[in-house]
Amino acid sequence: MIRFSIVTITYNAEKVLQRTLDSVRYQTYEGVEHLIVDGASKDQTLLLTEQYKQQSDASDNGHKVIIQSEPDHGIYDAMNKGLTQASGDYVVFMNAGDFFPSNDTLEKIVHQCRLNEYPAAERPGVLYGNTNIVDGEGHFLHPRRLQPPVKLTWKSFRHGMLVCHQAFYARTDIAKNTQYDTRYRFSADVDWCIRIMRETERMGLTLCNTKMVVANYTEEGATTQNHSESLKERFHVMRRHYGLPTTLAMHAWFFIRAFLK
């Protein structure tokens, strides 16, 4: 059975965490490892996670819940801790407030990408799909503006982060050797996804488009709250991977596109 490692990063997340925990708990797919990496929360976050673990352990859903709580050096440091512990075939980051669109999302991903038909070494390097945006209460707002292309490659992100981080499933063996660059405070996820896709291409592996919504993303994240700094970092990430001329040309197009709206 294909196993998924779902990593949830938390810090004082009691107001939004429960819907994330419920979303994972009620996944009908049994091959789930849920890693909760907490940054030493001071609210009721840990109480919620411990209750969730007890409920999961008492059920017969086949899920494994692991909780780690200690101070960290930011969200990407915490994500690297999650990668270190992940033991599934694929890893995805579903942070506090984000959730799966349906209880059978993981089952559908396995079916859509025909994962059980591949020898382990030939499985796709990345699985990806669409994302819906929800508000702070978890209510649907709209589909994510940037949509994934039919065929994704590492060069696709020249046009922006076309696949949301929560809708990007990386093969764990690749991800463990491609840790987040913690020099970036807000855009290490963009850099990480590009590097994962570049390694996937180098290994001659495919990327599977699930052709469905695989994540509901809460709009009020750290990147949204620090939009200006995030854009500056993304410019540096794009320059690093695509070169300065391409990056300047694409940013000129982003500006024109925003002006024409």
Short mmCIF file of all heavy atoms in Angstrom, two decimals, residues 92-121:
data_model
loop_
_atom_site.label_atom_id
_atom_site.label_comp_id
_atom_site.label_asym_id
_atom_site.label_seq_id
_atom_site.Cartn_x
_atom_site.Cartn_y
_atom_site.Cartn_z
N VAL A 92 3.30 15.46 2.08
CA VAL A 92 2.59 16.69 1.76
C VAL A 92 2.46 17.51 3.04
O VAL A 92 2.35 16.94 4.13
CB VAL A 92 1.20 16.41 1.14
CG1 VAL A 92 0.29 15.70 2.13
CG2 VAL A 92 0.56 17.69 0.62
N PHE A 93 2.49 18.82 2.90
CA PHE A 93 2.37 19.72 4.06
C PHE A 93 0.96 20.31 4.11
O PHE A 93 0.55 21.03 3.20
CB PHE A 93 3.43 20.82 3.99
CG PHE A 93 4.82 20.29 4.22
CD1 PHE A 93 5.54 19.74 3.17
CD2 PHE A 93 5.37 20.29 5.49
CE1 PHE A 93 6.81 19.21 3.39
CE2 PHE A 93 6.64 19.77 5.71
CZ PHE A 93 7.36 19.23 4.66
N MET A 94 0.23 19.94 5.14
CA MET A 94 -1.14 20.42 5.35
C MET A 94 -1.14 21.16 6.68
O MET A 94 -1.29 20.56 7.74
CB MET A 94 -2.11 19.24 5.37
CG MET A 94 -3.56 19.62 5.33
SD MET A 94 -4.08 20.34 3.76
CE MET A 94 -3.85 18.98 2.62
N ASN A 95 -0.94 22.46 6.62
CA ASN A 95 -0.73 23.22 7.85
C ASN A 95 -2.02 23.59 8.55
O ASN A 95 -3.12 23.39 8.01
CB ASN A 95 0.12 24.45 7.55
CG ASN A 95 1.55 24.09 7.19
OD1 ASN A 95 2.06 23.05 7.60
ND2 ASN A 95 2.19 24.92 6.40
N ALA A 96 -1.91 24.11 9.75
CA ALA A 96 -3.07 24.42 10.57
C ALA A 96 -4.01 25.36 9.83
O ALA A 96 -3.60 26.44 9.39
CB ALA A 96 -2.63 25.03 11.90
N GLY A 97 -5.26 24.96 9.69
CA GLY A 97 -6.26 25.73 8.98
C GLY A 97 -6.55 25.20 7.60
O GLY A 97 -7.62 25.45 7.03
N ASP A 98 -5.61 24.46 7.03
CA ASP A 98 -5.81 23.86 5.70
C ASP A 98 -6.43 22.48 5.86
O ASP A 98 -6.26 21.82 6.90
CB ASP A 98 -4.48 23.76 4.96
CG ASP A 98 -3.76 25.10 4.88
OD1 ASP A 98 -4.46 26.13 4.76
OD2 ASP A 98 -2.52 25.12 4.97
N PHE A 99 -7.13 22.02 4.82
CA PHE A 99 -7.78 20.72 4.95
C PHE A 99 -8.10 20.11 3.59
O PHE A 99 -8.12 20.79 2.57
CB PHE A 99 -9.04 20.82 5.81
CG PHE A 99 -10.06 21.84 5.35
CD1 PHE A 99 -11.18 21.47 4.61
CD2 PHE A 99 -9.91 23.19 5.68
CE1 PHE A 99 -12.11 22.40 4.20
CE2 PHE A 99 -10.85 24.13 5.27
CZ PHE A 99 -11.95 23.74 4.53
N PHE A 100 -8.35 18.80 3.60
CA PHE A 100 -8.71 18.09 2.38
C PHE A 100 -10.15 18.41 1.99
O PHE A 100 -11.01 18.59 2.85
CB PHE A 100 -8.57 16.58 2.59
CG PHE A 100 -7.16 16.11 2.82
CD1 PHE A 100 -6.72 15.74 4.08
CD2 PHE A 100 -6.27 16.03 1.76
CE1 PHE A 100 -5.43 15.31 4.30
CE2 PHE A 100 -4.96 15.61 1.97
CZ PHE A 100 -4.54 15.23 3.23
N PRO A 101 -10.45 18.46 0.69
CA PRO A 101 -11.80 18.80 0.25
C PRO A 101 -12.83 17.71 0.49
O PRO A 101 -14.04 17.99 0.52
CB PRO A 101 -11.64 19.10 -1.24
CG PRO A 101 -10.40 18.37 -1.64
CD PRO A 101 -9.50 18.39 -0.44
N SER A 102 -12.39 16.47 0.65
CA SER A 102 -13.33 15.38 0.90
C SER A 102 -12.64 14.28 1.69
O SER A 102 -11.41 14.23 1.76
CB SER A 102 -13.87 14.80 -0.42
OG SER A 102 -12.82 14.19 -1.16
N ASN A 103 -13.43 13.39 2.27
CA ASN A 103 -12.87 12.32 3.09
C ASN A 103 -12.13 11.27 2.26
O ASN A 103 -11.37 10.47 2.82
CB ASN A 103 -13.98 11.64 3.90
CG ASN A 103 -14.55 12.52 4.98
OD1 ASN A 103 -13.95 13.54 5.34
ND2 ASN A 103 -15.70 12.15 5.52
N ASP A 104 -12.37 11.24 0.96
CA ASP A 104 -11.70 10.24 0.12
C ASP A 104 -10.67 10.86 -0.82
O ASP A 104 -10.32 10.28 -1.84
CB ASP A 104 -12.73 9.44 -0.68
CG ASP A 104 -13.57 10.30 -1.61
OD1 ASP A 104 -13.48 11.54 -1.53
OD2 ASP A 104 -14.34 9.72 -2.41
N THR A 105 -10.17 12.04 -0.46
CA THR A 105 -9.19 12.71 -1.32
C THR A 105 -7.96 11.84 -1.58
O THR A 105 -7.52 11.70 -2.73
CB THR A 105 -8.75 14.05 -0.70
OG1 THR A 105 -9.88 14.92 -0.62
CG2 THR A 105 -7.67 14.72 -1.55
N LEU A 106 -7.39 11.25 -0.55
CA LEU A 106 -6.18 10.44 -0.74
C LEU A 106 -6.47 9.20 -1.57
O LEU A 106 -5.64 8.80 -2.41
CB LEU A 106 -5.59 10.06 0.62
CG LEU A 106 -5.02 11.23 1.43
CD1 LEU A 106 -4.51 10.74 2.78
CD2 LEU A 106 -3.89 11.93 0.68
N GLU A 107 -7.62 8.58 -1.36
CA GLU A 107 -7.99 7.43 -2.19
C GLU A 107 -8.06 7.83 -3.66
O GLU A 107 -7.59 7.09 -4.55
CB GLU A 107 -9.34 6.87 -1.73
CG GLU A 107 -9.29 6.05 -0.46
CD GLU A 107 -10.58 5.26 -0.23
OE1 GLU A 107 -11.39 5.16 -1.18
OE2 GLU A 107 -10.77 4.78 0.89
N LYS A 108 -8.65 9.00 -3.92
CA LYS A 108 -8.78 9.46 -5.30
C LYS A 108 -7.43 9.75 -5.92
O LYS A 108 -7.20 9.48 -7.10
CB LYS A 108 -9.65 10.71 -5.34
CG LYS A 108 -11.13 10.45 -5.08
CD LYS A 108 -11.92 11.74 -5.12
CE LYS A 108 -13.40 11.51 -4.91
NZ LYS A 108 -14.17 12.79 -4.87
N ILE A 109 -6.50 10.30 -5.13
CA ILE A 109 -5.16 10.58 -5.65
C ILE A 109 -4.47 9.29 -6.08
O ILE A 109 -3.87 9.20 -7.16
CB ILE A 109 -4.32 11.33 -4.60
CG1 ILE A 109 -4.85 12.76 -4.42
CG2 ILE A 109 -2.84 11.36 -5.00
CD1 ILE A 109 -4.19 13.51 -3.28
N VAL A 110 -4.55 8.28 -5.23
CA VAL A 110 -3.94 6.98 -5.56
C VAL A 110 -4.54 6.42 -6.84
O VAL A 110 -3.83 5.91 -7.72
CB VAL A 110 -4.12 5.99 -4.39
CG1 VAL A 110 -3.68 4.59 -4.79
CG2 VAL A 110 -3.34 6.45 -3.17
N HIS A 111 -5.86 6.54 -6.97
CA HIS A 111 -6.55 6.02 -8.15
C HIS A 111 -6.21 6.84 -9.40
O HIS A 111 -5.89 6.25 -10.45
CB HIS A 111 -8.07 6.04 -7.91
CG HIS A 111 -8.87 5.64 -9.12
ND1 HIS A 111 -8.94 4.33 -9.54
CD2 HIS A 111 -9.61 6.38 -10.00
CE1 HIS A 111 -9.71 4.27 -10.64
NE2 HIS A 111 -10.11 5.50 -10.93
N GLN A 112 -6.26 8.17 -9.29
CA GLN A 112 -6.03 9.02 -10.44
C GLN A 112 -4.63 8.85 -11.01
O GLN A 112 -4.42 8.90 -12.23
CB GLN A 112 -6.25 10.48 -10.06
CG GLN A 112 -7.70 10.89 -9.87
CD GLN A 112 -8.47 10.92 -11.16
OE1 GLN A 112 -9.20 9.97 -11.48
NE2 GLN A 112 -8.32 11.97 -11.93
N CYS A 113 -3.66 8.68 -10.14
CA CYS A 113 -2.26 8.55 -10.58
C CYS A 113 -1.83 7.10 -10.74
O CYS A 113 -0.65 6.84 -11.05
CB CYS A 113 -1.34 9.29 -9.61
SG CYS A 113 -1.55 11.09 -9.67
N ARG A 114 -2.75 6.16 -10.50
CA ARG A 114 -2.47 4.72 -10.67
C ARG A 114 -1.18 4.31 -9.95
O ARG A 114 -0.34 3.58 -10.48
CB ARG A 114 -2.36 4.38 -12.16
CG ARG A 114 -3.63 4.69 -12.95
CD ARG A 114 -3.48 4.31 -14.41
NE ARG A 114 -4.71 4.54 -15.14
CZ ARG A 114 -4.88 4.28 -16.44
NH1 ARG A 114 -3.86 3.78 -17.14
NH2 ARG A 114 -6.03 4.52 -17.04
N LEU A 115 -1.05 4.78 -8.73
CA LEU A 115 0.20 4.61 -8.01
C LEU A 115 0.54 3.15 -7.73
O LEU A 115 1.72 2.79 -7.64
CB LEU A 115 0.16 5.40 -6.70
CG LEU A 115 0.06 6.92 -6.85
CD1 LEU A 115 0.02 7.59 -5.49
CD2 LEU A 115 1.21 7.47 -7.68
N ASN A 116 -0.47 2.32 -7.57
CA ASN A 116 -0.20 0.92 -7.25
C ASN A 116 0.29 0.12 -8.45
O ASN A 116 0.67 -1.04 -8.30
CB ASN A 116 -1.46 0.27 -6.67
CG ASN A 116 -1.81 0.80 -5.29
OD1 ASN A 116 -0.93 0.95 -4.45
ND2 ASN A 116 -3.07 1.11 -5.05
N GLU A 117 0.28 0.73 -9.63
CA GLU A 117 0.71 0.03 -10.83
C GLU A 117 2.20 0.19 -11.11
O GLU A 117 2.75 -0.45 -12.00
CB GLU A 117 -0.09 0.52 -12.04
CG GLU A 117 -1.59 0.27 -11.92
CD GLU A 117 -2.37 0.81 -13.11
OE1 GLU A 117 -1.73 1.10 -14.15
OE2 GLU A 117 -3.61 0.93 -13.01
N TYR A 118 2.86 1.08 -10.35
CA TYR A 118 4.28 1.36 -10.60
C TYR A 118 5.18 0.53 -9.69
O TYR A 118 4.87 0.35 -8.50
CB TYR A 118 4.59 2.83 -10.30
CG TYR A 118 4.06 3.83 -11.29
CD1 TYR A 118 2.79 4.39 -11.12
CD2 TYR A 118 4.83 4.26 -12.37
CE1 TYR A 118 2.31 5.34 -12.01
CE2 TYR A 118 4.35 5.21 -13.27
CZ TYR A 118 3.10 5.74 -13.08
OH TYR A 118 2.62 6.68 -13.96
N PRO A 119 6.33 0.08 -10.20
CA PRO A 119 7.38 -0.37 -9.29
C PRO A 119 7.81 0.83 -8.45
O PRO A 119 7.74 1.98 -8.90
CB PRO A 119 8.50 -0.81 -10.24
CG PRO A 119 7.86 -0.99 -11.57
CD PRO A 119 6.70 -0.05 -11.62
N ALA A 120 8.26 0.57 -7.24
CA ALA A 120 8.57 1.65 -6.30
C ALA A 120 9.53 2.68 -6.90
O ALA A 120 9.34 3.89 -6.74
CB ALA A 120 9.15 1.07 -5.01
N ALA A 121 10.55 2.24 -7.58
CA ALA A 121 11.57 3.16 -8.10
C ALA A 121 11.06 4.01 -9.25
O ALA A 121 11.68 5.03 -9.59
CB ALA A 121 12.80 2.38 -8.55
#
